[in-house]
Amino acid sequence: MIATRTLTATAIFLLVSLVAGNASAQTDRLYPVDGEVVIGKIKTISKEGVIITASGKDQTFAAGDIQRVLFQGDPPELTRGRDFILDGQYDQAYDQLKQLDMANISRDDIRSDAQFYLALSQGEMSLAGQGDLTKSTQAALGFVKQNPQSWHFYDTTRLLGDLAKAMGNYEKAALFYGYMRGAPSLDMKVESVYQGGLVKLAQGDLAGAKEDLSKVAGMKPTTVESKRLQTLSKASLAVVAAKEGQAQQAIEMVNDLIKTLNPADTATAARIYNALGASYAAAGKDEDAILAYLHTQLMYSMQAATHVEALKELAQLWTKVGKPDRAAQARGELQKRYPGLSG
């Protein structure tokens, strides 16, 4: 009887020890852009990507191919903030993330992740006219300086490029977008060329823009993202053609893109209709240009950057066709929805 009790006590002790050991084991979750979630222990993080040990084997994921990483011990505010960001709800993400006390986060990887998402939500809000572009730039720069080996490094350089472009600082924008060429992800390398072409287009360097955009437009896409970038480059090449005096060719180029448009991809659709508006405007067809920009204004208002562009163009076009009241309405909507971008 005594032996039985002793054996039972020993078994219970071993069971409790096993459970305690499992509870203390680090369990992280990595969600790739494509593929199933990987559950294991994060081994290393660098700006090139993440290595996670799962079932005794190391798996490497390149930066740009990772959707998100959930760390054991994540504060609930960070978990909710990430989810809001994935849904594009940056204001709600910011409300959650600003509640975090970074000093009380003991794990460096979690603190770095929280700092990135806080800077990202702040930056995206500013790009939507709901914040200060300069302060958001400082926050993003601060993150990069404090976390130079974060797997979010290249995402942050993209954000910095977007912020610089929104402020009209095209040299800085080109610099930040240029960093993306060093990313291990092919899609990011392609995007770097595309964004560089857009910067040159904004600067009036039509030859330079055409060279960069043609590279992307002429490639053979291997992913959904590279296909999207190819389509966007073709739309921007139409704008280049229009500015070079080939407006009718530009209109035909954009209309061809509209025929194969994926209606679910509202970000791409908005850029294509804005390109159509620019092409019609270059051809002197102001009323057709208005219709194209109205399409963006009414159908794709959730896409801040292209919506702002459409409203600004409409304010000018309505004035040209003798409808100052409609021009005032466009300016009013711009100032109300995007106070930080209406200047």
Side-chain angles (χ1 to χ4, degrees):
M1 188 71 174
I2 295 175
T4 302
R5 285 200 189 101
T6 303
L7 179 60
T8 302
T10 302
I12 291 173
F13 174 78
L14 290 173
L15 179 61
V16 170
S17 298
L18 179 61
V19 171
N22 287 340
S24 63
Q26 181 178 312
T27 303
D28 305 309
R29 289 171 170 80
L30 186 149
Y31 292 78
V33 173
D34 295 312
E36 298 295 324
V37 59
V38 179
I39 301 174
K41 179 179 180 180
I42 298 297
K43 183 177 181 180
T44 60
I45 293 178
S46 73
K47 67 180 182 180
E48 303 304 315
V50 175
I51 299 176
I52 182 171
T53 304
S55 301
K57 296 181 180 179
D58 290 348
Q59 297 184 46
T60 301
F61 294 87
D65 296 334
I66 303 170
Q67 184 190 68
R68 60 177 168 164
V69 176
L70 303 185
F71 300 95
Q72 180 175 312
D74 277 342
E77 296 88 352
L78 175 56
T79 302
R80 289 193 292 267
R82 282 198 202 97
D83 289 340
F84 280 128
I85 283 174
L86 288 174
D87 289 337
Q89 301 180 58
Y90 299 107
D91 53 344
Q92 295 188 57
Y94 183 72
D95 287 342
Q96 288 292 323
L97 295 164
K98 70 181 181 181
Q99 298 177 37
L100 289 168
D101 184 353
M102 299 295 180
N104 285 334
I105 299 177
S106 59
R107 187 174 172 185
D108 291 341
D109 292 339
I110 296 177
R111 188 185 310 108
S112 174
D113 223 42
Q115 289 170 340
F116 166 72
Y117 286 115
L118 185 61
L120 177 63
S121 58
Q122 182 179 349
E124 291 291 349
M125 288 173 63
S126 295
L127 289 168
Q130 303 300 321
D132 188 300
L133 292 167
T134 300
K135 290 181 180 179
S136 295
T137 299
Q138 292 170 348
L141 284 171
F143 169 77
V144 171
K145 290 178 181 178
Q146 293 177 32
N147 305 277
Q149 286 302 316
S150 167
W151 70 272
H152 298 296
F153 175 84
Y154 294 107
D155 288 324
T156 310
T157 63
R158 178 200 289 117
L159 174 63
L160 285 164
D162 291 344
L163 291 165
K165 187 168 63 175
M167 290 188 287
N169 192 337
Y170 298 122
E171 290 185 5
K172 285 288 187 181
L175 175 66
F176 290 130
Y177 288 138
Y179 281 117
M180 294 171 65
R181 296 197 187 194
S185 166
L186 178 59
D187 285 345
M188 277 194 167
K189 293 179 187 292
V190 174
E191 185 181 352
S192 176
V193 179
Y194 165 70
Q195 294 287 4
L198 291 189
V199 170
K200 291 175 182 177
L201 179 57
Q203 290 175 304
D205 179 6
L206 298 183
K210 188 173 184 177
E211 181 180 359
D212 286 347
L213 295 169
S214 294
K215 290 178 182 177
V216 181
M219 70 179 181
K220 293 182 178 179
T222 57
T223 65
V224 172
E225 178 61 13
S226 59
K227 174 63 177 176
R228 187 183 75 88
L229 290 168
Q230 182 185 55
T231 299
L232 290 171
S233 293
K234 290 178 179 178
S236 295
L237 280 172
V239 177
V240 172
K243 289 181 177 293
E244 289 178 333
Q246 304 172 47
Q248 189 55 44
Q249 178 185 343
I251 293 168
E252 293 172 2
M253 290 169 65
V254 181
N255 279 327
D256 285 342
L257 294 176
I258 291 175
K259 292 176 183 177
T260 59
L261 188 62
N262 176 7
D265 187 354
T266 57
T268 301
R271 292 193 179 278
I272 289 175
Y273 274 98
N274 277 8
L276 182 62
S279 301
Y280 275 129
K285 299 180 178 180
D286 294 335
E287 292 184 355
D288 288 327
I290 287 173
L291 290 175
Y293 284 122
L294 277 174
H295 201 97
T296 298
Q297 180 193 6
L298 300 175
M299 299 295 294
Y300 308 119
S301 60
M302 73 293 292
Q303 301 296 332
T306 42
H307 194 224
V308 167
E309 180 185 345
L311 288 170
K312 287 182 176 180
E313 294 296 332
L314 283 168
Q316 297 181 35
L317 287 164
W318 282 126
T319 300
K320 286 183 68 176
V321 298
K323 294 187 177 181
D325 55 330
R326 297 297 299 271
Q329 289 177 8
R331 285 191 293 269
E333 183 177 354
L334 184 63
Q335 292 166 1
K336 182 178 180 180
R337 291 193 57 167
Y338 312 103
L341 302 176
S342 58

